[in-house]
Amino acid sequence: VDDEEDVVSVTRLVLASFKFEGRAIELLPARSAEQARKVLEQHSDIAVAFIDVVMESDNAGLELVRFIRDVQRNDEIQLILRTGQPGFAPELKVILEYGINDYRTKTELDNVKLLSCLVAGLRNYRYRVQARQAALREEVASELHEAKSLFFAQMSHDLRTPLQGIVGYTELMLESSDEGTFEHDSLTAIRSSCDHLLSLVN
């Protein structure tokens, strides 16, 4: 996110052939904080953002950080402030008051440091996503166990409620698993079986 065309061009050039663990990355440039908000609303899986501070206003980048953390409630994306005018946003004050992960001046971010920041950001993002998925799996496993107990307790009564519960939780798990994996295929099979039983009960 930067309103300087040269900065965007150089960033593109440096990262053109970059791969993280064998996978290419996609660059989504924005020339203002307002454009960045639109990009963020269209893409929920952005891993790292390099954000200029002074753009359409002196604190546009800081307002964008607040939007990401406070409005979107996104604490996974790694936010790196990259400013050409550090006087507008003193480093210590910004680090303490805003939910950023790193603070760099444009002059210090040469090619190597830019790549280093990006790699660190991608690793941190991956860690946070994996931690969230693990917590979700644990929660869903607990709820499935409870739903299973309820299922057997109510076998002679209404079967719809526990079956609908299992379907709901398998859908949550499917959202956090990759297609084609054993886990995804197993969850799809469970949901299908529950859907079939629900059609019989109804």
Side-chain angles (χ1 to χ4, degrees):
V1 184
D2 204 301
D3 61 351
E4 293 184 43
E5 182 63 38
D6 289 347
V7 172
V8 176
S9 298
V10 169
T11 303
R12 279 187 179 279
L13 184 63
V14 172
L15 302 181
S17 59
F18 173 77
K19 290 189 176 182
F20 178 68
E21 297 183 352
R23 298 175 64 183
I25 61 171
E26 180 182 4
L27 297 178
L28 302 168
R31 306 302 164 83
S32 67
E34 185 58 36
Q35 281 185 16
R37 286 188 182 91
K38 292 176 182 176
V39 172
L40 286 157
E41 286 166 354
Q42 294 168 356
H43 301 270
S44 61
D45 60 347
I46 295 175
V48 181
F50 288 91
I51 302 174
D52 189 12
V53 175
V54 181
M55 293 181 283
E56 61 262 54
S57 68
D58 287 349
N59 62 346
L62 299 178
E63 290 173 0
L64 177 60
V65 170
R66 287 209 189 278
F67 169 77
I68 294 168
R69 298 298 193 217
D70 299 338
V71 177
Q72 287 197 319
R73 302 287 183 187
N74 186 341
D75 61 357
E76 291 173 352
I77 183 174
Q78 302 296 294
L79 303 180
I80 302 168
L81 283 188
R82 179 172 61 168
T83 180
Q85 303 177 57
F88 281 100
E91 183 174 354
L92 182 58
K93 177 180 171 66
V94 169
I95 288 172
L96 291 173
E97 295 183 10
Y98 292 84
I100 64 169
N101 301 99
D102 203 351
Y103 182 107
R104 300 298 179 106
T105 62
K106 292 180 183 179
T107 53
E108 74 174 299
L109 268 186
D110 58 22
N111 294 359
V112 173
K113 288 183 180 176
L114 176 63
L115 290 171
S116 296
C117 280
L118 179 58
V119 169
L122 290 170
R123 285 176 177 158
N124 288 337
Y125 174 79
R126 180 181 58 189
Y127 171 77
R128 293 191 69 93
V129 169
Q130 288 174 342
R132 174 178 56 82
Q133 290 175 339
L136 179 60
R137 287 189 185 96
E138 186 176 333
E139 180 183 346
V140 171
S142 173
E143 295 292 347
L144 283 172
H145 178 72
E146 186 178 333
K148 180 181 175 182
S149 300
L150 182 63
F151 177 81
F152 287 112
Q154 295 187 351
M155 282 188 70
S156 58
H157 303 292
D158 182 12
L159 295 177
R160 286 186 297 276
T161 301
L163 285 171
Q164 289 168 342
I166 293 171
V167 168
Y169 290 119
T170 52
E171 286 176 353
L172 278 174
M173 286 292 289
L174 283 168
E175 288 178 8
S176 66
S177 64
D178 296 326
E179 287 188 26
T181 62
F182 175 78
E183 178 187 60
H184 191 279
D185 294 343
S186 299
L187 288 167
T188 303
I190 291 170
R191 188 177 64 180
S192 260
S193 298
C194 289
D195 287 339
H196 177 65
L197 287 172
L198 277 170
S199 69
L200 295 177
V201 170
N202 292 332

